[in-house]
């Protein structure tokens, strides 16, 4: 093993986007469950889940872009 080998960064954009999407899906499911627990209607649950997914995905992709820039 060489002691002066160059550092190579892993570049797996599909994996990173998949992780962000799955995390966003979990956030959306929690939002749907919370609305259902508060006796919200099905349309309100669907709207809250969609909004939560969009917000979490946007934030996650922003964080991912920031991490890729600084790495």
């Amino acid at each position: 093993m060489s002691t002066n080998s160059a550092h190579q960064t892993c570049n797996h954009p599909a994996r990173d986007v998949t992780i962000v999407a799955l995390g966003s899906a979990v956030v959306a499911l929690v939002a749907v469950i919370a609305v259902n627990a508060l006796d919200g209607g099905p349309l309100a649950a669907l709207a809250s889940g969609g909004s939560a997914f969009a917000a979490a995905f946007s934030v996650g992709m922003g964080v991912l872009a920031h991490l890729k820039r600084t790495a």
Side-chain angles (χ1 to χ4, degrees), residues 4 8 12 14 18 27-28 32 34 39 41 45 53 56 59 61:
N4 59 358
Q8 296 178 356
H12 302 289
T18 302
V27 170
V32 168
D39 293 328
F53 181 84
V59 169
M61 291 305 290

Side-chain angles (χ1 to χ4, degrees), residues 26-58:
V26 170
V27 170
L29 288 173
V30 168
V32 168
I33 291 169
V35 169
N36 280 333
L38 296 172
D39 293 328
L43 189 59
L46 188 62
S48 68
S51 298
F53 181 84
F57 190 78
S58 297

